[in-house]
Amino acid sequence: MIVAVDAAGGDFYPKNPVEGALQAIEENSELTVLLVGPEDIIKKELTDHSYDEKRVLVHDAPQVIGMEESPAQAVKTKQQSSIVVGIGLHKAGKCDAFVSAGNTGALLAASMFILGKLKGVLRPTIASYYPTIKGFRLLVDAGANLEIKPETAIQFAKMAEIYCEQILKITAPKVALLNVGEEEGKGTDVLKEIFLTLKEEDNFIGNVEGKDILSGKADVYVCDGLVGNIVLKFGESIPEILQKMIGVAVKDMNLSQNEIQNIQKVLHTALSPFNYENVGGIPFLGVNGVSIVGHGGSSPLAIKNMIKSAVQTVEQDVNGKIVASLN
């Protein structure tokens, strides 16, 4: 198994991608990592570590796509960037998957343009992990498609179901449509059409509201990318905001240091499901390959878990199962 890692992606490259890659090969003796990016900075970073040189490969990609750059323009003009070169290596069969904490839009554009779509897929989608009291579940679409149609919505649901079963190990995952009310007939005309399409599926439980997400009422939450991205970013803000609010309350209550430490421990444990490091990255479902993107601020642990997700996706033949399901 060879997983290519964008060593020039994210806010803390090359340090975090390199460290995360090295942690991954320590954990998986069957894994080789291919670090893609400016060769000089990668090799300089590697000098600070001891590692198995046979299982850590470096491929030079001198250009870097910044986090704020226009995705389409960057992919078009920076053909020697780590993202374009890395996806190209995957397309050429030089590696089994590609992971990046870099520009999400650029990675999606490169994945769609270079890898193409799986047979039968109308549009690829971003499926995001979302924390619930029952563990991580999937939100789809999380930003790739701002508008969706019934025929794409049902494909998104099926692809997310397969990912849930194979990676999250959820048996017969339940699918719900995120809407403004639970009753049939709620929402826009498009949502009503999507409801009727999803209704034909055995595991569709109907409409759910925003209040139902964190309770884990479903395993796959279907929505358009506009709503999905807003919900995703809102969820990401919860831990930081709660910590600030509780911090102010603790200060006003003049608690002892021991009491403060106990509150911090409880808070840390309670909010751990929101920690993106535990899952690392999210997959682009529907592209003809394994392309996974992580948070721009990904730590070495997040990078390691992103690589782990890529390995599992390949080993479980998620793409093969998606093609079989849709065709």
Side-chain angles (χ1 to χ4, degrees):
M1 179 77 70
I2 300 176
V3 174
V5 179
D6 182 1
D11 301 329
F12 305 103
Y13 76 86
K15 186 178 185 297
N16 287 8
V18 169
E19 288 187 11
L22 297 182
Q23 288 179 16
I25 64 170
E26 286 181 9
E27 193 172 280
N28 185 345
S29 62
E30 302 298 319
L31 175 66
T32 293
V33 292
L34 174 59
L35 299 171
V36 184
E39 186 174 15
D40 54 344
I41 68 168
I42 295 174
K43 288 188 172 180
K44 182 179 179 181
E45 178 64 32
L46 285 171
T47 59
D48 295 333
H49 305 274
S50 58
Y51 59 93
D52 184 351
E53 296 184 7
K54 294 180 181 179
R55 297 172 57 212
V56 179
L57 311 176
V58 177
H59 190 99
D60 186 38
Q63 294 178 310
V64 177
I65 295 178
M67 300 296 279
E68 304 302 325
E69 290 190 55
S70 167
Q73 186 68 13
V75 170
K76 182 178 179 180
T77 60
K78 292 188 173 181
Q79 292 290 298
Q80 293 303 308
S81 64
S82 55
I83 287 178
V84 175
V85 170
I87 290 293
L89 290 170
H90 184 24
K91 173 69 173 180
K94 303 296 184 182
C95 56
D96 299 290
F98 180 74
V99 303
S100 173
N103 187 309
T104 301
L107 182 57
L108 178 59
S111 298
M112 292 179 65
F113 180 72
I114 298 172
L115 297 176
K117 299 180 293 186
L118 290 171
K119 180 183 177 182
V121 171
L122 297 172
R123 292 191 64 84
T125 182
I126 297 178
S128 175
Y129 288 93
Y130 211 87
T132 75
I133 59 174
K134 297 179 181 179
F136 284 110
R137 296 298 186 264
L138 287 187
L139 179 73
V140 60
D141 183 290
N145 302 276
L146 299 188
E147 296 179 355
I148 60 174
K149 298 178 179 180
E151 57 267 29
T152 52
I154 194 166
Q155 284 199 348
F156 293 170
K158 288 183 176 180
M159 290 191 288
E161 285 176 56
I162 291 170
Y163 196 85
C164 269
E165 288 177 332
Q166 302 302 318
I167 306 302
L168 298 182
K169 304 303 180 185
I170 299 172
T171 303
K174 295 179 292 185
V175 176
L177 177 63
L178 198 55
N179 208 330
V180 295
E182 296 180 352
E183 302 83 7
E184 183 174 346
K186 287 285 188 176
T188 63
D189 289 341
V190 173
L191 286 173
K192 292 174 186 177
E193 291 179 28
I194 292 174
F195 181 96
L196 293 175
T197 303
L198 292 175
K199 190 178 179 180
E200 300 300 317
E201 299 297 304
D202 292 337
N203 54 349
F204 180 59
I205 64 170
N207 290 323
V208 295
E209 299 174 313
K211 65 180 176 62
D212 298 315
I213 300 176
L214 295 179
S215 65
K217 190 170 184 178
D219 302 305
V220 174
Y221 296 93
V222 177
C223 58
D224 62 50
L226 178 64
V227 171
N229 196 260
I230 292 172
V231 172
L232 176 62
K233 298 296 174 59
F234 172 75
E236 290 178 346
S237 73
I238 291 175
E240 182 179 358
I241 296 300
L242 282 181
Q243 289 180 45
K244 288 182 179 179
M245 293 173 66
I246 293 174
V248 171
V250 165
K251 185 177 180 180
D252 292 342
M253 293 172 68
N254 295 317
L255 300 178
S256 68
Q257 190 61 37
N258 186 55
E259 289 174 320
I260 292 174
Q261 288 178 347
N262 286 335
I263 290 174
Q264 289 175 336
K265 289 179 181 178
V266 171
L267 186 61
H268 177 76
T269 301
L271 295 179
S272 60
F274 286 88
N275 188 354
Y276 70 91
E277 293 181 322
N278 294 327
V279 293
I282 55 180
F284 295 138
L285 297 178
V287 297
N288 190 20
V290 178
S291 177
I292 294 182
V293 67
H295 196 284
S298 289
S299 65
L301 174 61
I303 299 291
K304 183 202 76 171
N305 283 330
M306 200 187 313
I307 296 169
K308 183 178 179 180
S309 293
V311 170
Q312 291 176 325
T313 302
V314 175
E315 289 180 340
Q316 298 300 322
D317 189 24
V318 169
N319 283 346
K321 292 179 172 68
I322 287 174
V323 170
S325 173
L326 298 182
N327 293 283

